[in-house]
Amino acid sequence: MRDGVTRFLLRGASVRGEIVTLDRAWREVVARHALPEPVRDRLGELSAAAALLGATLKFEGSLVLQIHGDGPVALFVVEYRSDGGYRATAKLREGAVIAEDAPLPALVDAQGRGRFVVTLDPRETAPDKPAWQGIVPFESETVAGVLERYMQRSEQIPTRLWLAADGERAVGLLLQRLPDEGGQPEADTDGWNRMQKLADTVVREELLTLPPDELLRRLFWQESLHAFDERACRFACRCTRDKVGDMLRMLGSDEVEAILAERGEIEVRCEYCNQAYRFDVVDSVALFHPAAPAADGAPPRH
């Protein structure tokens, strides 16, 4: 199956929908992190949810979904960009013990202080525009429930999600009720309730094994369904050696030299893709004392 989001309409029922499959893109994330199964699967569900919500971005930038936890998992975070690139990671507390069947609240809301954060950031292409951030309490047993409550509070749009993930695939289905056009009542007054009931019949195994078009046919075979848009998704981390170098410059030369004196080199590992960047003494000198151009404007000789 191809990695991507398909958007569709259920005509006559004033309902729009999206279905996402993250196959290779999700396995790229799984391969880079050794996570307990419950943590891995919840991160996959959050990844699918980010793709569903990110596919409707009205700007060029990024959507970031975070769950900050007070349990054995300190953080879930997924970044989805408007070009279809995404990355994800989870941070466990040191010594965390996680049961095989641990539900989401046990992972992130053990003391009732978990919270869900949504960030919309257009600054990559519009540096003058500020990022927008919404923070809501953790109020659900599932990732889907957390997102549904957020959408109801922030967007005031009736929204339902069905999410599933394992070690091979992350999948999601979203339904939203469309507003009445021009204040006119919708033709199918029971459409929204009916579509929810149909989607509620889906089981986890179907989400994880059926191609998107077949799944939609099974759920809505009696409805007037129109798929109108498909957007590709891919794993894409934005870390670079130059960005790590900029971070080290912010620490300052004294701090960097102290670390080098103690360890011999500095290793910085990206939390998203697990790529390691190493800087030795020569690299440090180049960071803080770049070669100056020759007096005549010609490049320096090496």
Side-chain angles (χ1 to χ4, degrees), residues 52-63:
L52 291 169
L53 299 182
T56 61
L57 288 177
K58 301 296 192 297
F59 60 87
E60 293 186 8
S62 60
L63 163 75

mmCIF file with all atom_site columns, all heavy atoms in Angstrom, residues 52-63:
data_model
loop_
_atom_site.group_PDB
_atom_site.id
_atom_site.type_symbol
_atom_site.label_atom_id
_atom_site.label_alt_id
_atom_site.label_comp_id
_atom_site.label_asym_id
_atom_site.label_entity_id
_atom_site.label_seq_id
_atom_site.pdbx_PDB_ins_code
_atom_site.Cartn_x
_atom_site.Cartn_y
_atom_site.Cartn_z
_atom_site.occupancy
_atom_site.B_iso_or_equiv
_atom_site.pdbx_formal_charge
_atom_site.auth_seq_id
_atom_site.auth_comp_id
_atom_site.auth_asym_id
_atom_site.auth_atom_id
_atom_site.pdbx_PDB_model_num
ATOM 1  N N   . LEU A 1 52 ? -3.736 12.988 9.160  1.00 0.00 ? 52 LEU A N   1
ATOM 2  C CA  . LEU A 1 52 ? -5.130 13.323 8.855  1.00 0.00 ? 52 LEU A CA  1
ATOM 3  C C   . LEU A 1 52 ? -5.391 14.816 9.042  1.00 0.00 ? 52 LEU A C   1
ATOM 4  O O   . LEU A 1 52 ? -5.993 15.469 8.186  1.00 0.00 ? 52 LEU A O   1
ATOM 5  C CB  . LEU A 1 52 ? -6.070 12.518 9.747  1.00 0.00 ? 52 LEU A CB  1
ATOM 6  C CG  . LEU A 1 52 ? -6.145 11.018 9.481  1.00 0.00 ? 52 LEU A CG  1
ATOM 7  C CD1 . LEU A 1 52 ? -6.902 10.315 10.595 1.00 0.00 ? 52 LEU A CD1 1
ATOM 8  C CD2 . LEU A 1 52 ? -6.797 10.726 8.129  1.00 0.00 ? 52 LEU A CD2 1
ATOM 9  N N   . LEU A 1 53 ? -4.933 15.367 10.150 1.00 0.00 ? 53 LEU A N   1
ATOM 10 C CA  . LEU A 1 53 ? -5.159 16.786 10.416 1.00 0.00 ? 53 LEU A CA  1
ATOM 11 C C   . LEU A 1 53 ? -4.252 17.658 9.553  1.00 0.00 ? 53 LEU A C   1
ATOM 12 O O   . LEU A 1 53 ? -4.657 18.725 9.088  1.00 0.00 ? 53 LEU A O   1
ATOM 13 C CB  . LEU A 1 53 ? -4.924 17.092 11.892 1.00 0.00 ? 53 LEU A CB  1
ATOM 14 C CG  . LEU A 1 53 ? -5.823 16.361 12.899 1.00 0.00 ? 53 LEU A CG  1
ATOM 15 C CD1 . LEU A 1 53 ? -5.501 16.797 14.325 1.00 0.00 ? 53 LEU A CD1 1
ATOM 16 C CD2 . LEU A 1 53 ? -7.285 16.591 12.590 1.00 0.00 ? 53 LEU A CD2 1
ATOM 17 N N   . GLY A 1 54 ? -3.022 17.206 9.322  1.00 0.00 ? 54 GLY A N   1
ATOM 18 C CA  . GLY A 1 54 ? -2.077 18.002 8.554  1.00 0.00 ? 54 GLY A CA  1
ATOM 19 C C   . GLY A 1 54 ? -2.420 18.098 7.079  1.00 0.00 ? 54 GLY A C   1
ATOM 20 O O   . GLY A 1 54 ? -2.003 19.038 6.400  1.00 0.00 ? 54 GLY A O   1
ATOM 21 N N   . ALA A 1 55 ? -3.181 17.133 6.573  1.00 0.00 ? 55 ALA A N   1
ATOM 22 C CA  . ALA A 1 55 ? -3.532 17.150 5.148  1.00 0.00 ? 55 ALA A CA  1
ATOM 23 C C   . ALA A 1 55 ? -4.422 18.328 4.785  1.00 0.00 ? 55 ALA A C   1
ATOM 24 O O   . ALA A 1 55 ? -4.588 18.635 3.606  1.00 0.00 ? 55 ALA A O   1
ATOM 25 C CB  . ALA A 1 55 ? -4.227 15.838 4.769  1.00 0.00 ? 55 ALA A CB  1
ATOM 26 N N   . THR A 1 56 ? -4.996 18.992 5.784  1.00 0.00 ? 56 THR A N   1
ATOM 27 C CA  . THR A 1 56 ? -5.892 20.121 5.512  1.00 0.00 ? 56 THR A CA  1
ATOM 28 C C   . THR A 1 56 ? -5.247 21.458 5.863  1.00 0.00 ? 56 THR A C   1
ATOM 29 O O   . THR A 1 56 ? -5.943 22.474 5.932  1.00 0.00 ? 56 THR A O   1
ATOM 30 C CB  . THR A 1 56 ? -7.207 19.962 6.295  1.00 0.00 ? 56 THR A CB  1
ATOM 31 O OG1 . THR A 1 56 ? -6.912 19.939 7.703  1.00 0.00 ? 56 THR A OG1 1
ATOM 32 C CG2 . THR A 1 56 ? -7.911 18.685 5.919  1.00 0.00 ? 56 THR A CG2 1
ATOM 33 N N   . LEU A 1 57 ? -3.931 21.482 6.097  1.00 0.00 ? 57 LEU A N   1
ATOM 34 C CA  . LEU A 1 57 ? -3.266 22.738 6.420  1.00 0.00 ? 57 LEU A CA  1
ATOM 35 C C   . LEU A 1 57 ? -3.492 23.770 5.324  1.00 0.00 ? 57 LEU A C   1
ATOM 36 O O   . LEU A 1 57 ? -3.372 23.467 4.140  1.00 0.00 ? 57 LEU A O   1
ATOM 37 C CB  . LEU A 1 57 ? -1.765 22.520 6.617  1.00 0.00 ? 57 LEU A CB  1
ATOM 38 C CG  . LEU A 1 57 ? -1.323 21.788 7.887  1.00 0.00 ? 57 LEU A CG  1
ATOM 39 C CD1 . LEU A 1 57 ? 0.182  21.592 7.881  1.00 0.00 ? 57 LEU A CD1 1
ATOM 40 C CD2 . LEU A 1 57 ? -1.761 22.548 9.133  1.00 0.00 ? 57 LEU A CD2 1
ATOM 41 N N   . LYS A 1 58 ? -3.802 24.982 5.734  1.00 0.00 ? 58 LYS A N   1
ATOM 42 C CA  . LYS A 1 58 ? -4.059 26.059 4.779  1.00 0.00 ? 58 LYS A CA  1
ATOM 43 C C   . LYS A 1 58 ? -2.827 26.928 4.549  1.00 0.00 ? 58 LYS A C   1
ATOM 44 O O   . LYS A 1 58 ? -2.901 27.976 3.929  1.00 0.00 ? 58 LYS A O   1
ATOM 45 C CB  . LYS A 1 58 ? -5.211 26.937 5.273  1.00 0.00 ? 58 LYS A CB  1
ATOM 46 C CG  . LYS A 1 58 ? -6.520 26.201 5.490  1.00 0.00 ? 58 LYS A CG  1
ATOM 47 C CD  . LYS A 1 58 ? -7.076 25.635 4.195  1.00 0.00 ? 58 LYS A CD  1
ATOM 48 C CE  . LYS A 1 58 ? -8.516 25.156 4.349  1.00 0.00 ? 58 LYS A CE  1
ATOM 49 N NZ  . LYS A 1 58 ? -8.644 24.032 5.317  1.00 0.00 ? 58 LYS A NZ  1
ATOM 50 N N   . PHE A 1 59 ? -1.678 26.509 5.060  1.00 0.00 ? 59 PHE A N   1
ATOM 51 C CA  . PHE A 1 59 ? -0.445 27.270 4.909  1.00 0.00 ? 59 PHE A CA  1
ATOM 52 C C   . PHE A 1 59 ? 0.705  26.298 4.709  1.00 0.00 ? 59 PHE A C   1
ATOM 53 O O   . PHE A 1 59 ? 0.575  25.099 4.975  1.00 0.00 ? 59 PHE A O   1
ATOM 54 C CB  . PHE A 1 59 ? -0.189 28.149 6.144  1.00 0.00 ? 59 PHE A CB  1
ATOM 55 C CG  . PHE A 1 59 ? -0.067 27.352 7.419  1.00 0.00 ? 59 PHE A CG  1
ATOM 56 C CD1 . PHE A 1 59 ? 1.149  26.818 7.818  1.00 0.00 ? 59 PHE A CD1 1
ATOM 57 C CD2 . PHE A 1 59 ? -1.173 27.126 8.219  1.00 0.00 ? 59 PHE A CD2 1
ATOM 58 C CE1 . PHE A 1 59 ? 1.259  26.075 8.975  1.00 0.00 ? 59 PHE A CE1 1
ATOM 59 C CE2 . PHE A 1 59 ? -1.073 26.391 9.392  1.00 0.00 ? 59 PHE A CE2 1
ATOM 60 C CZ  . PHE A 1 59 ? 0.146  25.867 9.763  1.00 0.00 ? 59 PHE A CZ  1
ATOM 61 N N   . GLU A 1 60 ? 1.842  26.829 4.255  1.00 0.00 ? 60 GLU A N   1
ATOM 62 C CA  . GLU A 1 60 ? 3.048  26.022 4.130  1.00 0.00 ? 60 GLU A CA  1
ATOM 63 C C   . GLU A 1 60 ? 3.808  26.106 5.448  1.00 0.00 ? 60 GLU A C   1
ATOM 64 O O   . GLU A 1 60 ? 4.297  27.154 5.828  1.00 0.00 ? 60 GLU A O   1
ATOM 65 C CB  . GLU A 1 60 ? 3.911  26.519 2.970  1.00 0.00 ? 60 GLU A CB  1
ATOM 66 C CG  . GLU A 1 60 ? 3.284  26.305 1.613  1.00 0.00 ? 60 GLU A CG  1
ATOM 67 C CD  . GLU A 1 60 ? 4.220  26.675 0.480  1.00 0.00 ? 60 GLU A CD  1
ATOM 68 O OE1 . GLU A 1 60 ? 5.403  26.956 0.774  1.00 0.00 ? 60 GLU A OE1 1
ATOM 69 O OE2 . GLU A 1 60 ? 3.784  26.689 -0.674 1.00 0.00 ? 60 GLU A OE2 1
ATOM 70 N N   . GLY A 1 61 ? 3.879  24.991 6.125  1.00 0.00 ? 61 GLY A N   1
ATOM 71 C CA  . GLY A 1 61 ? 4.515  24.964 7.431  1.00 0.00 ? 61 GLY A CA  1
ATOM 72 C C   . GLY A 1 61 ? 4.337  23.607 8.059  1.00 0.00 ? 61 GLY A C   1
ATOM 73 O O   . GLY A 1 61 ? 4.323  22.587 7.354  1.00 0.00 ? 61 GLY A O   1
ATOM 74 N N   . SER A 1 62 ? 4.166  23.567 9.367  1.00 0.00 ? 62 SER A N   1
ATOM 75 C CA  . SER A 1 62 ? 4.108  22.284 10.049 1.00 0.00 ? 62 SER A CA  1
ATOM 76 C C   . SER A 1 62 ? 3.020  22.264 11.119 1.00 0.00 ? 62 SER A C   1
ATOM 77 O O   . SER A 1 62 ? 2.651  23.295 11.685 1.00 0.00 ? 62 SER A O   1
ATOM 78 C CB  . SER A 1 62 ? 5.462  21.942 10.679 1.00 0.00 ? 62 SER A CB  1
ATOM 79 O OG  . SER A 1 62 ? 5.834  22.927 11.620 1.00 0.00 ? 62 SER A OG  1
ATOM 80 N N   . LEU A 1 63 ? 2.520  21.062 11.354 1.00 0.00 ? 63 LEU A N   1
ATOM 81 C CA  . LEU A 1 63 ? 1.614  20.759 12.451 1.00 0.00 ? 63 LEU A CA  1
ATOM 82 C C   . LEU A 1 63 ? 2.359  19.838 13.403 1.00 0.00 ? 63 LEU A C   1
ATOM 83 O O   . LEU A 1 63 ? 2.935  18.827 12.973 1.00 0.00 ? 63 LEU A O   1
ATOM 84 C CB  . LEU A 1 63 ? 0.358  20.060 11.927 1.00 0.00 ? 63 LEU A CB  1
ATOM 85 C CG  . LEU A 1 63 ? -0.503 19.320 12.950 1.00 0.00 ? 63 LEU A CG  1
ATOM 86 C CD1 . LEU A 1 63 ? -1.303 20.309 13.789 1.00 0.00 ? 63 LEU A CD1 1
ATOM 87 C CD2 . LEU A 1 63 ? -1.452 18.346 12.257 1.00 0.00 ? 63 LEU A CD2 1
#
